[in-house]
Amino acid sequence: MTDLMNNAATPLEAANDAIHALSWTDTALETVDTAVRMGEYGAARLRFLKLAEQSQIRVLLHIPQKDAIRLAGGLPTYTVARLFEQLPRPLGRAIVQSLPEVKRQGVVVILNHRRSRSPRQQAMG
């Protein structure tokens, strides 16, 4: 009977944890979105960089494209390259094309390197 009760409580605890995580993610997204709307791109980038990758993608998809481009323009080159691989192609291209030439070339070099790695090297990290 105790095992049955423990097993019944586990999904409820997991659902509660998921709701808690979702509300934090939504709060983080809202914080970045608010900072962008207020033109505080530095603050928005700091908060953005603390987010998990999937939350970063949600932010870039949620905000207007011109704001996503401006926000991403101040991110580290590796971060832009990593996000480019996950974003819809039109948004990813718009972000990369708007970068200054040197940074754009850095993104291209990183992407080419990541694509050229063998499957074994990728598995090893």
Side-chain angles (χ1 to χ4, degrees):
M1 182 69 164
T2 303
D3 289 338
L4 181 62
M5 294 296 282
N6 286 338
N7 290 339
T10 302
L12 294 176
E13 290 169 6
N16 189 31
D17 290 345
I19 289 169
H20 220 354
L22 181 61
S23 65
W24 180 88
T25 302
D26 289 342
T27 302
L29 188 145
E30 185 177 321
T31 302
V32 173
D33 184 47
T34 300
V36 165
R37 282 187 281 122
M38 294 178 69
E40 298 175 1
Y41 287 92
R45 284 183 195 104
L46 288 175
R47 183 64 175 166
F48 182 87
L49 288 169
K50 292 181 181 181
L51 297 174
E53 183 175 299
Q54 290 304 311
S55 296
Q56 290 176 343
I57 292 166
R58 283 185 59 207
V59 167
L60 292 174
L61 294 173
H62 173 77
I63 61 178
Q65 183 171 323
K66 67 180 179 73
D67 292 331
I69 289 169
R70 186 158 177 198
L71 178 69
L75 295 174
T77 305
Y78 183 79
T79 301
V80 175
R82 183 178 42 80
L83 292 170
F84 175 84
E85 293 175 318
Q86 303 297 318
L87 289 170
R89 289 293 173 223
L91 179 57
R93 284 186 188 136
I95 288 171
V96 172
Q97 289 174 349
S98 71
L99 296 172
E101 181 65 26
V102 173
K103 192 167 191 175
R104 183 173 47 243
Q105 288 301 321
V107 170
V108 170
V109 167
I110 292 167
L111 290 172
N112 287 337
H113 176 73
R114 288 171 62 102
R115 289 179 184 141
S116 69
R117 290 175 61 186
S118 72
R120 180 177 173 178
Q121 288 174 322
Q122 288 177 353
M124 293 175 63

